[in-house]
Amino acid sequence: MGRIVGIDLGTTNSAVAYWNGSEAEIIPNDRGSRITPSVVALGEEGDFLVGESALNQAVIYPEHTVIGVKRRMGSSHRYELRGTQLSPEEISAVIIRELRRHAEEYLGESIHEAVITVPAYFSEKQRRATIEAGRMAGLRVRRILNEPTAAALAYASREKSYRNILVYDLGGGTFDVTCLQQAGANFQVLSTAGDSKLGGMDFSRLLLKQVTESFAEGSGLILADPVIQQQLFEMIERGKIELSSREKTNIGFPFIGSDGKPVHLKQIINRTDFNALIIDLVERSLDLTAAALSEAKLAPDEIDSLVLSGGSSRIPLVRQLLQQQIGCTHVSQVNPDEIVALGAAIQASLLSEQRDMFFRDVTAFDLGVEIEEGRFAPIVRRNTPLPANAQRVFTTVSDDQTAVELHVLQGIGDHIDENTSLGRFLLSGIHRGQRGAARIRVSFSVDVDGLVTVQAADADTGVKETVTLSGNTDASSAKQPSIRSRVQALTQRLESGCRQFKHELDDAFIQEARELCTLARRSVLQQNSEAILQVQSALETLLIEIHALGGISDGAAN
């Protein structure tokens, strides 16, 4: 069996580690650094630059450089670099490919498998996107591991103990908090909470906004040039890091403008002002920490060890407020920038060797389906241990229904608008009868990576459909996340719905639907972007009426 490496694919920095037979070890990159900036640029010759090389180009060509791609994972966003369209997965694959190259050169062997970490609060879409990025980089992703769990493994695997551990993971772009229980070599995640849009980048942007506004007020100059903005952002980042060890930092940018004479930007930022600027964001993370403790049914004084992960956890205000809230003085001494990659390498060793260590993670969100009136019906509750299986019985909302459309969602809200859509699929051939007569059993299966399989079955006719969700909005359009493919999928669903409910729909509706589907296909064929957007809205409006006929109700017992 080949070696499996552990990869921390971070928002700001990434790292790769391996198990050397006795402990996890970070693999340095080709510059000798133990972490690699998660930055990708496309050079003038069409070659990809990664890490420090990409950062250097960002100062001159910010429009051809991607920073913080992790926040876009699982979305339909497209980057354009020198005329080339790239998805977030393709950008992430470039980073992973570079980490793989570092590992192969350092270890002197080919690498084909990896454990890749993700925030605990990553959605199913984002997890699948990460697996796809690994595949594009030529790797088989053996396991998707939650970052706080990885940090806990790196910290607690050094000694077999019995304790409650809280992992506070504040990275560049995401925040997670996880409560675990260690019993010797066994680890059980009790709860997790987080925010995939909260991290050190947000602190830097607040600081950048303050600096530019203060400069504009004093000089009358607006710093709108992208090149200047990128250079100033780099200075802000360095200043922010410096404030973790010093009481003040200087931000200086000479010859930044001219108003008859040279204009220089020079500001002193002290730690007190910085703390006032970020306090609201830090307190949001502390509120999530309190929520995780409550879900785990643990009081703050029951936490035995506090593990800090992510570079932003070094900020003195974060440590001060967190220790006040938890009251725990035993804080991990593992490097926050490396601890996740080390934990991923430990997990990799568990997959390739027989070791007496076991851990069990939990779901981060509720998983369920849409029911009548746009409500969300959870089937698998958040913080359920993985792997998980659960089922629930639903019924029809209309008389003589012969099909139901299942809309699968993930989140913590009561209404579908508050949650993330994972996909839709149709169950045809169900028992035809009065409203509430059918019994549709919906079953969820969630594997150890947090990936979801859903089955719907009619108890009377025995028909069933099983879908392994792709993480795109429509299961029927899993391969193409563009607006064009979205319209094509909506067209197919509308035509299918009209066939299924032709006895319930009037002739005028069916004629309108046919004409709209013809217009949709013509717009896609002609690549008329404006017409495609208009027809998408019309398709979704007609489908709302179809859904009312083919929906499900929570009228049956669980």
Side-chain angles (χ1 to χ4, degrees), residues 229-287:
Q229 284 272 339
Q230 181 58 41
Q231 292 179 9
L232 187 54
F233 188 79
E234 292 294 320
M235 294 178 186
I236 293 292
E237 275 286 312
R238 290 193 291 270
K240 181 187 72 175
I241 294 170
E242 192 172 333
L243 284 173
S244 291
S245 57
R246 299 182 61 185
E247 288 296 325
K248 62 182 180 180
T249 184
N250 293 297
I251 304 294
F253 200 139
F255 303 101
I256 200 169
S258 175
D259 187 15
K261 61 179 180 179
V263 179
H264 312 294
L265 184 154
K266 185 176 182 181
Q267 291 188 31
I268 297 176
I269 301 170
N270 61 58
R271 186 187 289 176
T272 301
D273 292 339
F274 177 61
N275 289 348
L277 200 63
I278 67 171
I279 184 66
D280 289 345
L281 295 179
V282 175
E283 286 182 343
R284 193 201 309 175
S285 75
L286 298 179
D287 290 342

